[in-house]
Amino acid sequence: SQGPISGVNKDIAVLQCHGDCDPLVPLMFGSLTVEKLKSMINPANVTFKTYSGLMHSSSLEEMMDVKQFIDKHLPPMD
């Protein structure tokens, strides 16, 4: 078992994405995971997005959300 998360990692931003029709990892497991994450780090920095009709794959909508998240949280590269 891991110890508590401390220091700068307590404030890390997390984006968790899940399709609501995923046959391999049920949405309920994603929901439980995000609640566990929120108990370990600053819950205000945890974003959980679900995608209607998405199975165990990705979609353009999800990839655009990932790009927006990266653009927001990572400094631009020169």
Side-chain angles (χ1 to χ4, degrees), residues 18-60:
H18 209 111
D20 69 359
C21 292
D22 189 330
L24 295 179
V25 182
L27 181 59
M28 181 186 74
F29 292 167
S31 299
L32 291 170
T33 300
V34 81
E35 290 310 310
K36 180 65 174 175
L37 265 174
K38 287 180 177 181
S39 76
M40 297 169 70
I41 65 175
N42 182 348
N45 294 345
V46 179
T47 302
F48 184 50
K49 289 191 171 264
T50 59
Y51 300 88
S52 180
L54 189 63
M55 298 181 76
H56 194 73
S57 60
S58 63
S59 68
L60 182 58

Side-chain angles (χ1 to χ4, degrees), residues 63-77:
M63 292 299 100
M64 293 304 291
D65 287 340
V66 169
K67 180 188 183 308
Q68 187 176 40
F69 179 84
I70 290 169
D71 288 345
K72 179 179 177 183
H73 293 286
L74 290 182
M77 293 188 58

